[in-house]
Amino acid sequence: QVQVTESGGGLVQSGGSLRLSCAASGSSFRLYHMAWYRQPPGKQREMVATITSDDNRNYVDSVKGRFTISRDNAKKTMYLQMNSLKPEDTGVYYCWAQPSWEVGRGAGYWGQGTQVTVSS
């Protein structure tokens, strides 16, 4: 069982920046595949960015060039640096983790989410 906890959300004006953090439990964090998802108000949850255990990164088109996903294996923490924020980035941001040895055998682990609100 992996526990993940997000932090860093808040209210920011359009054009501003925020950095989200996701702390994970367990001694094998370096072997976890990680991701950020978000759920805008009234919409379905969507993938924002992913980072694999070997540091391959992927982004949804709408955030490319503005958001950067990263990880610090020593701190067992994943980050999402969000720059040039837009009102459409508003939503609850969720951290997801899956140990590489559980791929194909489970749905991964979710955090409780952190609210990001971008005012226009």
Side-chain angles (χ1 to χ4, degrees):
Q1 187 83 8
V2 175
Q3 294 182 326
V4 291
T5 305
E6 307 94 338
S7 61
L11 173 64
V12 65
Q13 288 188 334
S14 182
S17 298
L18 281 175
R19 188 176 82 154
L20 305 183
S21 299
C22 171
S25 66
S27 59
S28 300
F29 177 82
R30 63 183 177 83
L31 299 178
Y32 297 174
H33 302 309
M34 306 288 293
W36 287 101
Y37 285 74
R38 67 186 176 190
Q39 187 164 17
K43 297 184 179 181
Q44 291 191 339
R45 193 176 299 188
E46 63 176 358
M47 184 276 290
V48 176
T50 64
I51 185 166
T52 65
S53 60
D54 54 358
D55 213 36
N56 288 316
R57 309 176 192 196
N58 190 36
Y59 300 90
V60 68
D61 285 347
S62 60
V63 308
K64 286 180 180 178
R66 300 188 298 122
F67 290 12
T68 302
I69 191 171
S70 63
R71 62 192 297 159
D72 185 331
N73 290 338
K75 295 182 178 179
K76 296 192 291 184
T77 301
M78 174 181 66
Y79 303 97
L80 185 68
Q81 178 66 44
M82 305 186 294
N83 298 328
S84 302
L85 282 161
K86 304 175 181 180
E88 51 263 43
D89 294 318
T90 294
V92 179
Y93 282 68
Y94 296 92
C95 173
W96 174 88
Q98 185 172 54
S100 56
W101 62 88
E102 292 188 11
V103 172
R105 297 193 290 117
Y109 303 90
W110 294 91
Q112 294 299 307
T114 185
Q115 177 70 43
V116 172
T117 302
V118 184
S119 63
S120 57

